[in-house]
Amino acid sequence: MRAPFAEVIGDPIAQTKSPIIHKFWLQQLGIDADYRATQVQPTELEPFLADRRNNPDWLGCNVTIPHKIDVIPALDEISDSAAQVGAVNCIERRRAGGLEKLVGSNTDLDGIEAALDSVDLAGKSAALIGAGGGARAVVAYLADRGAARISVVARDPRRSEALRSLAPSTTMKFVQIVEAEQAFEGAAAIINASPLGMVGAEPMPDMLVDAVGRHAAAATIFDLVTTPVETAFLEAGRAGGGLPVDGLTMLVGQAARAFELFFGARPPAPGKELRNLLIPKGNQ
């Protein structure tokens, strides 16, 4: 008999570490199922989901760049968390009353909580690089934590204005990359929610990296990028006296909730063994 499976979809997808995490937990719990990585280009997204809907072995999928927003029209329902953020990173196939639905949620919020829950954000300033699906989850989280000011650094600040609706009670400022200095100044947390620095994407511009280093002291420097684990952004933050938090913290945190939705079981608490699997030898 074929085993049920879940997967992660995106474009590109070679950088993903999600199969390592889910396969590890499946083995630990003795669950007969699989988790895969599948490249899906934007033009293929709708027919891909239509095909998966008809596959009885498919349990659902995680969604990564660039599909977190575009996937929503193809779904039957979205959770409150996904509606709040306006982006979906997890789709579960839910069976109820003889009907099957594709239900989208946003477990990125769980991952961001794992990364930033210990940071004092109430009444503080935070700075964010990027304005895509990941950035939407970060802004919603920062607003819920009571951040007084959120500065967003993006190539086109006009496009990032859409983030304002996620934090109506928070002062928000949108600036270009060349204005990053003023965005980072005094921030309790500086967060990269863009693909800059990710394998297969553009490197983070030197002016951004340098600005992080100059304003990192006493701040938490959090990078959503997971490949590589150690990025120029995090290196600059560490060198500048900040507390670096790599993307694996968020990745494992959001994966734990997704695992429950797909496989109906709570995964083991994350430990050194899983982290060692996620970091290539020589980079631990």
Side-chain angles (χ1 to χ4, degrees), residues 107-121 137-138 141-142 145 188-192 219-226 233-234 243-255 270 275:
T107 66
D108 278 342
L109 290 169
D110 299 84
I112 295 166
E113 180 179 2
L116 295 178
D117 197 43
S118 63
V119 182
D120 182 12
L121 294 168
V138 171
Y141 173 84
L142 293 173
R145 288 287 312 280
I190 302 175
I191 303 152
N192 177 36
T220 295
I221 311 300
F222 171 38
D223 200 339
L224 275 67
V225 168
T226 60
F233 174 81
L234 291 177
L243 174 66
V245 178
D246 63 47
L248 294 186
T249 303
M250 176 179 173
L251 181 65
V252 174
Q254 66 82 25
R275 187 173 178 86

Short mmCIF file of all heavy atoms in Angstrom, two decimals, residues 107-121 137-138 141-142 145 188-192 219-226 233-234 243-255 270 275:
data_model
loop_
_atom_site.label_atom_id
_atom_site.label_comp_id
_atom_site.label_asym_id
_atom_site.label_seq_id
_atom_site.Cartn_x
_atom_site.Cartn_y
_atom_site.Cartn_z
N THR A 107 1.18 29.06 9.85
CA THR A 107 1.97 28.61 10.99
C THR A 107 3.27 29.40 11.13
O THR A 107 4.04 29.18 12.06
CB THR A 107 2.30 27.10 10.89
OG1 THR A 107 3.17 26.88 9.77
CG2 THR A 107 1.04 26.28 10.72
N ASP A 108 3.51 30.35 10.20
CA ASP A 108 4.66 31.24 10.36
C ASP A 108 4.57 31.99 11.69
O ASP A 108 5.59 32.28 12.31
CB ASP A 108 4.73 32.26 9.21
CG ASP A 108 5.36 31.69 7.96
OD1 ASP A 108 6.06 30.65 8.06
OD2 ASP A 108 5.18 32.27 6.88
N LEU A 109 3.35 32.31 12.12
CA LEU A 109 3.18 33.01 13.39
C LEU A 109 3.72 32.17 14.54
O LEU A 109 4.32 32.71 15.48
CB LEU A 109 1.70 33.33 13.60
CG LEU A 109 1.12 34.41 12.67
CD1 LEU A 109 -0.40 34.45 12.80
CD2 LEU A 109 1.72 35.77 12.96
N ASP A 110 3.52 30.85 14.49
CA ASP A 110 4.07 29.96 15.52
C ASP A 110 5.59 30.00 15.50
O ASP A 110 6.25 29.99 16.54
CB ASP A 110 3.58 28.53 15.29
CG ASP A 110 2.07 28.40 15.38
OD1 ASP A 110 1.41 28.66 14.36
OD2 ASP A 110 1.56 28.06 16.45
N GLY A 111 6.16 30.03 14.28
CA GLY A 111 7.62 30.07 14.16
C GLY A 111 8.21 31.38 14.62
O GLY A 111 9.26 31.40 15.28
N ILE A 112 7.55 32.48 14.30
CA ILE A 112 8.03 33.79 14.74
C ILE A 112 7.96 33.89 16.26
O ILE A 112 8.86 34.44 16.91
CB ILE A 112 7.22 34.91 14.07
CG1 ILE A 112 7.46 34.89 12.56
CG2 ILE A 112 7.60 36.28 14.65
CD1 ILE A 112 6.46 35.71 11.77
N GLU A 113 6.90 33.34 16.83
CA GLU A 113 6.79 33.32 18.29
C GLU A 113 7.97 32.56 18.91
O GLU A 113 8.54 33.00 19.92
CB GLU A 113 5.48 32.67 18.71
CG GLU A 113 5.27 32.61 20.21
CD GLU A 113 3.96 31.97 20.60
OE1 GLU A 113 3.21 31.55 19.70
OE2 GLU A 113 3.67 31.91 21.81
N ALA A 114 8.34 31.44 18.32
CA ALA A 114 9.47 30.68 18.84
C ALA A 114 10.77 31.48 18.79
O ALA A 114 11.64 31.35 19.65
CB ALA A 114 9.63 29.37 18.04
N ALA A 115 10.89 32.35 17.78
CA ALA A 115 12.12 33.12 17.60
C ALA A 115 12.16 34.39 18.45
O ALA A 115 13.23 34.81 18.91
CB ALA A 115 12.28 33.49 16.13
N LEU A 116 11.01 35.02 18.68
CA LEU A 116 10.99 36.35 19.30
C LEU A 116 10.23 36.43 20.61
O LEU A 116 10.14 37.53 21.20
CB LEU A 116 10.39 37.37 18.32
CG LEU A 116 11.16 37.63 17.03
CD1 LEU A 116 10.40 38.63 16.15
CD2 LEU A 116 12.56 38.15 17.31
N ASP A 117 9.72 35.33 21.10
CA ASP A 117 8.87 35.38 22.29
C ASP A 117 9.59 35.93 23.52
O ASP A 117 8.97 36.52 24.40
CB ASP A 117 8.31 33.98 22.60
CG ASP A 117 7.13 34.02 23.54
OD1 ASP A 117 6.26 34.89 23.36
OD2 ASP A 117 7.07 33.20 24.47
N SER A 118 10.91 35.75 23.59
CA SER A 118 11.66 36.21 24.76
C SER A 118 12.11 37.66 24.65
O SER A 118 12.70 38.20 25.59
CB SER A 118 12.90 35.31 24.98
OG SER A 118 13.78 35.42 23.88
N VAL A 119 11.84 38.31 23.52
CA VAL A 119 12.28 39.68 23.31
C VAL A 119 11.22 40.66 23.84
O VAL A 119 10.03 40.50 23.58
CB VAL A 119 12.51 39.95 21.80
CG1 VAL A 119 13.01 41.38 21.59
CG2 VAL A 119 13.51 38.96 21.23
N ASP A 120 11.66 41.65 24.60
CA ASP A 120 10.76 42.68 25.10
C ASP A 120 10.43 43.65 23.97
O ASP A 120 11.27 44.46 23.56
CB ASP A 120 11.43 43.42 26.27
CG ASP A 120 10.52 44.49 26.88
OD1 ASP A 120 9.32 44.50 26.54
OD2 ASP A 120 11.02 45.30 27.67
N LEU A 121 9.23 43.56 23.44
CA LEU A 121 8.83 44.38 22.30
C LEU A 121 7.80 45.44 22.65
O LEU A 121 7.60 46.39 21.88
CB LEU A 121 8.27 43.49 21.19
CG LEU A 121 9.26 42.52 20.53
CD1 LEU A 121 8.54 41.51 19.67
CD2 LEU A 121 10.27 43.31 19.67
N ALA A 137 3.46 38.21 8.18
CA ALA A 137 3.35 37.48 9.45
C ALA A 137 4.14 38.19 10.55
O ALA A 137 3.69 38.27 11.69
CB ALA A 137 3.83 36.05 9.27
N VAL A 138 5.32 38.71 10.20
CA VAL A 138 6.14 39.40 11.19
C VAL A 138 5.43 40.66 11.69
O VAL A 138 5.39 40.93 12.89
CB VAL A 138 7.52 39.76 10.60
CG1 VAL A 138 8.29 40.66 11.56
CG2 VAL A 138 8.32 38.49 10.32
N TYR A 141 2.62 39.79 14.03
CA TYR A 141 3.15 39.34 15.32
C TYR A 141 3.64 40.53 16.14
O TYR A 141 3.34 40.65 17.34
CB TYR A 141 4.29 38.34 15.11
CG TYR A 141 4.99 37.97 16.39
CD1 TYR A 141 4.49 36.98 17.21
CD2 TYR A 141 6.16 38.64 16.78
CE1 TYR A 141 5.12 36.66 18.41
CE2 TYR A 141 6.80 38.31 17.97
CZ TYR A 141 6.27 37.32 18.77
OH TYR A 141 6.89 37.01 19.96
N LEU A 142 4.41 41.43 15.53
CA LEU A 142 4.94 42.59 16.24
C LEU A 142 3.82 43.46 16.79
O LEU A 142 3.89 43.97 17.91
CB LEU A 142 5.84 43.41 15.32
CG LEU A 142 7.15 42.76 14.88
CD1 LEU A 142 7.86 43.63 13.84
CD2 LEU A 142 8.07 42.50 16.06
N ARG A 145 2.32 41.92 19.82
CA ARG A 145 3.21 42.02 20.97
C ARG A 145 3.34 43.46 21.49
O ARG A 145 4.06 43.71 22.45
CB ARG A 145 4.61 41.50 20.59
CG ARG A 145 4.70 39.98 20.41
CD ARG A 145 4.64 39.23 21.74
NE ARG A 145 5.54 39.79 22.72
CZ ARG A 145 6.86 39.54 22.76
NH1 ARG A 145 7.40 38.72 21.87
NH2 ARG A 145 7.62 40.09 23.69
N ALA A 188 14.63 47.36 18.85
CA ALA A 188 14.85 46.24 19.76
C ALA A 188 15.05 44.95 18.98
O ALA A 188 15.66 44.00 19.48
CB ALA A 188 13.66 46.10 20.71
N ALA A 189 14.51 44.89 17.77
CA ALA A 189 14.68 43.72 16.91
C ALA A 189 14.82 44.20 15.47
O ALA A 189 14.07 45.08 15.02
CB ALA A 189 13.50 42.78 17.03
N ILE A 190 15.79 43.64 14.76
CA ILE A 190 15.96 43.88 13.33
C ILE A 190 15.78 42.54 12.64
O ILE A 190 16.48 41.57 12.95
CB ILE A 190 17.35 44.47 13.02
CG1 ILE A 190 17.57 45.77 13.80
CG2 ILE A 190 17.50 44.73 11.52
CD1 ILE A 190 18.97 46.35 13.64
N ILE A 191 14.83 42.48 11.72
CA ILE A 191 14.39 41.20 11.17
C ILE A 191 14.49 41.21 9.65
O ILE A 191 14.02 42.15 9.00
CB ILE A 191 12.92 40.94 11.58
CG1 ILE A 191 12.78 40.97 13.11
CG2 ILE A 191 12.42 39.61 11.02
CD1 ILE A 191 11.42 41.40 13.59
N ASN A 192 15.09 40.17 9.10
CA ASN A 192 15.12 40.01 7.65
C ASN A 192 14.03 39.02 7.24
O ASN A 192 14.15 37.82 7.49
CB ASN A 192 16.47 39.51 7.16
CG ASN A 192 16.46 39.27 5.65
OD1 ASN A 192 15.82 40.01 4.90
ND2 ASN A 192 17.15 38.23 5.21
N ALA A 219 20.27 44.62 20.37
CA ALA A 219 19.08 44.23 19.60
C ALA A 219 19.12 42.74 19.28
O ALA A 219 20.18 42.11 19.25
CB ALA A 219 19.02 45.04 18.30
N THR A 220 17.93 42.17 19.05
CA THR A 220 17.84 40.82 18.52
C THR A 220 17.86 40.89 17.00
O THR A 220 17.10 41.67 16.40
CB THR A 220 16.54 40.14 19.00
OG1 THR A 220 16.58 39.99 20.41
CG2 THR A 220 16.39 38.76 18.36
N ILE A 221 18.74 40.13 16.38
CA ILE A 221 18.90 40.12 14.92
C ILE A 221 18.38 38.78 14.41
O ILE A 221 19.01 37.75 14.60
CB ILE A 221 20.38 40.31 14.53
CG1 ILE A 221 21.00 41.49 15.29
CG2 ILE A 221 20.50 40.50 13.03
CD1 ILE A 221 20.34 42.82 15.04
N PHE A 222 17.22 38.81 13.80
CA PHE A 222 16.50 37.59 13.42
C PHE A 222 16.39 37.50 11.90
O PHE A 222 15.88 38.40 11.25
CB PHE A 222 15.12 37.59 14.07
CG PHE A 222 14.19 36.52 13.61
CD1 PHE A 222 14.62 35.23 13.33
CD2 PHE A 222 12.83 36.80 13.47
CE1 PHE A 222 13.75 34.23 12.91
CE2 PHE A 222 11.94 35.82 13.05
CZ PHE A 222 12.40 34.53 12.77
N ASP A 223 16.90 36.39 11.34
CA ASP A 223 16.86 36.17 9.90
C ASP A 223 15.93 35.00 9.60
O ASP A 223 16.12 33.90 10.12
CB ASP A 223 18.27 35.86 9.37
CG ASP A 223 18.40 36.09 7.88
OD1 ASP A 223 17.37 36.11 7.18
OD2 ASP A 223 19.53 36.27 7.40
N LEU A 224 14.93 35.21 8.75
CA LEU A 224 14.03 34.13 8.37
C LEU A 224 14.68 33.16 7.38
O LEU A 224 14.18 32.05 7.18
CB LEU A 224 12.74 34.68 7.75
CG LEU A 224 11.62 35.08 8.71
CD1 LEU A 224 12.02 36.28 9.56
CD2 LEU A 224 10.33 35.39 7.96
N VAL A 225 15.79 33.57 6.75
CA VAL A 225 16.50 32.71 5.81
C VAL A 225 17.06 31.49 6.55
O VAL A 225 17.62 31.62 7.64
CB VAL A 225 17.64 33.48 5.12
CG1 VAL A 225 18.57 32.54 4.36
CG2 VAL A 225 17.07 34.54 4.18
N THR A 226 16.92 30.31 5.95
CA THR A 226 17.42 29.08 6.59
C THR A 226 18.58 28.45 5.84
O THR A 226 19.28 27.59 6.39
CB THR A 226 16.29 28.04 6.68
OG1 THR A 226 15.80 27.73 5.37
CG2 THR A 226 15.14 28.56 7.54
N PHE A 233 23.86 38.81 7.16
CA PHE A 233 22.99 39.61 8.04
C PHE A 233 23.23 39.23 9.50
O PHE A 233 23.42 40.10 10.36
CB PHE A 233 21.53 39.34 7.63
CG PHE A 233 20.49 39.96 8.50
CD1 PHE A 233 20.15 41.30 8.37
CD2 PHE A 233 19.82 39.20 9.45
CE1 PHE A 233 19.16 41.87 9.17
CE2 PHE A 233 18.83 39.76 10.24
CZ PHE A 233 18.50 41.10 10.10
N LEU A 234 23.24 37.93 9.79
CA LEU A 234 23.46 37.47 11.17
C LEU A 234 24.90 37.74 11.62
O LEU A 234 25.14 38.11 12.78
CB LEU A 234 23.15 35.98 11.29
CG LEU A 234 21.68 35.58 11.16
CD1 LEU A 234 21.54 34.06 11.23
CD2 LEU A 234 20.83 36.23 12.25
N LEU A 243 22.07 40.03 19.42
CA LEU A 243 21.77 38.62 19.68
C LEU A 243 21.22 38.00 18.40
O LEU A 243 20.08 38.29 18.02
CB LEU A 243 20.75 38.49 20.80
CG LEU A 243 20.24 37.07 21.08
CD1 LEU A 243 21.37 36.18 21.60
CD2 LEU A 243 19.07 37.09 22.07
N PRO A 244 21.99 37.15 17.71
CA PRO A 244 21.50 36.57 16.46
C PRO A 244 20.56 35.40 16.71
O PRO A 244 20.80 34.56 17.58
CB PRO A 244 22.79 36.10 15.77
CG PRO A 244 23.74 35.82 16.90
CD PRO A 244 23.39 36.78 18.00
N VAL A 245 19.47 35.35 15.95
CA VAL A 245 18.53 34.23 15.98
C VAL A 245 18.36 33.75 14.54
O VAL A 245 17.84 34.49 13.69
CB VAL A 245 17.16 34.63 16.57
CG1 VAL A 245 16.21 33.44 16.54
CG2 VAL A 245 17.31 35.17 17.98
N ASP A 246 18.83 32.54 14.24
CA ASP A 246 18.79 32.09 12.86
C ASP A 246 17.42 31.54 12.47
O ASP A 246 16.54 31.32 13.31
CB ASP A 246 19.90 31.06 12.59
CG ASP A 246 19.76 29.79 13.41
OD1 ASP A 246 18.66 29.24 13.48
OD2 ASP A 246 20.78 29.33 13.98
N GLY A 247 17.26 31.33 11.17
CA GLY A 247 15.97 30.91 10.64
C GLY A 247 15.54 29.53 11.06
O GLY A 247 14.34 29.19 10.93
N LEU A 248 16.46 28.69 11.56
CA LEU A 248 16.08 27.35 11.97
C LEU A 248 15.11 27.39 13.15
O LEU A 248 14.24 26.52 13.27
CB LEU A 248 17.31 26.54 12.36
CG LEU A 248 18.30 26.22 11.24
CD1 LEU A 248 19.39 25.29 11.76
CD2 LEU A 248 17.60 25.61 10.04
N THR A 249 15.24 28.38 14.02
CA THR A 249 14.34 28.50 15.16
C THR A 249 12.91 28.67 14.68
O THR A 249 11.98 28.00 15.17
CB THR A 249 14.74 29.70 16.04
OG1 THR A 249 16.10 29.54 16.45
CG2 THR A 249 13.84 29.79 17.26
N MET A 250 12.72 29.56 13.72
CA MET A 250 11.38 29.75 13.17
C MET A 250 10.93 28.54 12.36
O MET A 250 9.76 28.11 12.45
CB MET A 250 11.35 30.99 12.29
CG MET A 250 10.01 31.20 11.60
SD MET A 250 9.96 32.68 10.59
CE MET A 250 8.37 32.47 9.79
N LEU A 251 11.83 27.99 11.56
CA LEU A 251 11.48 26.87 10.70
C LEU A 251 10.95 25.69 11.51
O LEU A 251 9.91 25.10 11.18
CB LEU A 251 12.70 26.43 9.88
CG LEU A 251 12.47 25.28 8.91
CD1 LEU A 251 11.51 25.69 7.81
CD2 LEU A 251 13.79 24.82 8.30
N VAL A 252 11.65 25.35 12.57
CA VAL A 252 11.22 24.23 13.41
C VAL A 252 9.92 24.58 14.14
O VAL A 252 9.03 23.73 14.28
CB VAL A 252 12.33 23.84 14.40
CG1 VAL A 252 11.84 22.77 15.37
CG2 VAL A 252 13.55 23.32 13.64
N GLY A 253 9.80 25.83 14.59
CA GLY A 253 8.59 26.24 15.29
C GLY A 253 7.35 26.15 14.43
O GLY A 253 6.30 25.64 14.86
N GLN A 254 7.43 26.63 13.19
CA GLN A 254 6.26 26.55 12.31
C GLN A 254 6.02 25.12 11.83
O GLN A 254 4.89 24.72 11.63
CB GLN A 254 6.40 27.52 11.14
CG GLN A 254 7.51 27.25 10.15
CD GLN A 254 7.16 26.21 9.11
OE1 GLN A 254 5.97 25.99 8.81
NE2 GLN A 254 8.17 25.54 8.57
N ALA A 255 7.11 24.36 11.68
CA ALA A 255 6.97 22.97 11.22
C ALA A 255 6.25 22.12 12.25
O ALA A 255 5.50 21.19 11.89
CB ALA A 255 8.34 22.38 10.92
N PRO A 270 12.15 20.03 19.97
CA PRO A 270 13.39 20.15 19.19
C PRO A 270 14.62 20.05 20.09
O PRO A 270 14.61 20.53 21.22
CB PRO A 270 13.29 21.55 18.57
CG PRO A 270 12.32 22.28 19.44
CD PRO A 270 11.35 21.26 19.95
N ARG A 275 18.86 19.70 15.18
CA ARG A 275 19.65 20.84 14.69
C ARG A 275 20.90 20.39 13.95
O ARG A 275 21.26 20.96 12.93
CB ARG A 275 20.00 21.76 15.85
CG ARG A 275 20.67 23.05 15.38
CD ARG A 275 20.86 24.04 16.52
NE ARG A 275 21.54 25.23 16.04
CZ ARG A 275 20.96 26.27 15.48
NH1 ARG A 275 19.64 26.27 15.35
NH2 ARG A 275 21.65 27.30 15.06
#
